[in-house]
Amino acid sequence: MPMAPDELVAVIAEEVEDLRFGEILAADITKETLLWSVAAHTKSLGLESVELFELVYRVEARTQLKFPEDFELVSITSVGDFARRLMPS
């Protein structure tokens, strides 16, 4: 049974909470939450590049979904964007 986009957002949020040792709670993460941002006024997880790679690894391992080989990670901006791009077409 395929995973729904909202379920994938929840998985991403849970993995972020674990990755950040509970510093950021999964319940506070929505599909609009930015993964990284330099703007102070935005709601952002503030992930560093190494953390973003770790997050991709964790979510791919947990869901068995895979980004394409030629995918550019820096093109992902939000949690919802991450989920959309990882979902099979």
Side-chain angles (χ1 to χ4, degrees):
M1 179 180 196
M3 184 175 282
D6 287 344
E7 290 176 306
L8 186 51
V9 166
V11 167
I12 295 165
E14 290 167 7
E15 291 300 331
V16 167
E17 181 175 348
D18 188 52
L19 184 67
R20 284 294 184 88
F21 304 104
E23 174 189 310
I24 300 169
L25 300 178
D28 294 337
I29 300 171
T30 67
K31 63 184 178 183
E32 290 82 20
T33 304
L34 299 177
L35 295 169
W36 51 273
S37 176
V38 293
H41 65 282
T42 60
K43 182 178 179 184
S44 171
L45 299 174
L47 297 180
E48 301 291 330
S49 59
V50 171
E51 292 173 311
L52 192 51
F53 281 111
E54 176 71 13
L55 180 61
V56 167
Y57 170 77
R58 287 172 174 237
V59 173
E60 284 184 339
R62 184 168 165 187
T63 65
Q64 304 304 307
L65 298 171
K66 299 286 181 205
F67 282 109
E69 291 294 323
D70 62 346
F71 180 73
E72 292 191 27
L73 194 55
V74 295
S75 67
I76 301 173
T77 56
S78 68
V79 172
D81 189 30
F82 185 116
R84 275 189 304 280
R85 303 234 192 152
L86 193 55
M87 294 294 296
S89 301

